[in-house]
Amino acid sequence: MSVLPLVFTSGWASGVNAYAVVLLLGVLGATGVSDQVPDALQRPDVLIAAGVLFLCEAVADKIPYVDSAWDAVHTVVRPVAGAVVGALLAGQSGSLSDLAAGAVGGSTALVSHLVKAGTRAVVNTSPEPASNIVLSTLEDLGVAGIVVFALFHPLAAAIIAAVLLGLGIALVVFFWRRIRRFWQRRRQQRAEKRAAWPDGARRPSA
């Protein structure tokens, strides 16, 4: 299917920011920049809803721990959005190829979402909020750039999305292992200190 590279890329982008994907595709289609955007994504009510939700996400995504709560809520929303956008890009005939495109978009969005949620959980361990703001801004710019690029160069964009997805998975696994070892050492050190303290030191009033 010639549309699969575009579906894969939109799925990756939906896992990062589904509202940005719907809004951007709808605007590009409504303004005539691309004729590949389905009419359903160009509807005014869809564009307004996507715009409002995108603004909400733009704020929540930059606040430590709020972003993780937002990600938890969107564990279902983003894969569903990726599946719907993928099916719409493939067509609306309900054929097997449309269903396959929806499956590709949804599964890619799910993996991409898990990578984003894991990355945010790692970033939230740092005490300063600047890293959240920088990362969120880079994600938004990356989604916008790759979605526009995919409409004109779908295969190249899909390769870029696949590389970013693979790198994201590797980084999350690497950092999660380091953080898990860090917390294990902290627990072990605390246990050793408690074991070394005499009872009188722990309960001076006794």
Side-chain angles (χ1 to χ4, degrees):
M1 293 174 58
S2 59
V3 76
L4 275 183
L6 179 58
V7 169
F8 178 85
T9 304
S10 67
W12 172 86
S14 296
V16 179
N17 193 326
Y19 304 125
V21 173
V22 174
L23 179 62
L24 187 56
L25 286 176
V27 170
L28 292 175
T31 55
V33 175
S34 174
D35 58 358
Q36 301 183 62
V37 180
D39 293 338
L41 298 179
Q42 303 179 38
R43 290 169 41 183
D45 56 335
V46 173
L47 293 177
I48 292 172
V52 171
L53 291 170
F54 169 73
L55 292 176
C56 294
E57 177 150 335
V59 174
D61 215 31
K62 295 174 176 60
I63 303 174
Y65 298 104
V66 174
D67 58 352
S68 290
W70 184 269
D71 287 339
V73 172
H74 284 74
T75 301
V76 175
V77 175
R78 288 171 183 158
V80 170
V84 171
V85 171
L88 289 174
L89 289 172
Q92 304 181 52
S93 61
S95 64
L96 183 60
S97 60
D98 296 351
L99 297 176
V104 170
S107 57
T108 306
L110 176 60
V111 177
S112 178
H113 162 76
L114 294 176
V115 169
K116 173 178 178 173
T119 303
R120 288 312 181 87
V122 172
V123 171
N124 282 335
T125 60
S126 66
E128 40 74 34
S131 54
N132 295 75
I133 297 174
V134 171
L135 183 58
S136 175
T137 303
L138 290 176
E139 288 173 349
D140 293 341
L141 293 175
V143 166
I146 201 166
V147 167
V148 174
F149 186 62
L151 288 174
F152 302 98
H153 305 282
L155 183 56
I159 293 174
I160 294 173
V163 171
L164 291 174
L165 187 61
L167 289 175
I169 294 172
L171 285 173
V172 168
V173 171
F174 173 74
F175 282 112
W176 267 112
R177 286 178 176 175
R178 294 190 63 181
I179 290 176
R180 185 172 59 183
R181 287 197 296 266
F182 170 77
W183 285 113
Q184 287 175 346
R185 287 195 299 268
R186 288 288 300 272
R187 287 195 295 267
Q188 184 177 359
Q189 290 172 356
R190 290 176 180 175
E192 291 174 351
K193 288 180 179 179
R194 286 195 298 267
W197 290 344
D199 292 341
R202 284 186 293 173
R203 297 189 299 272
S205 60

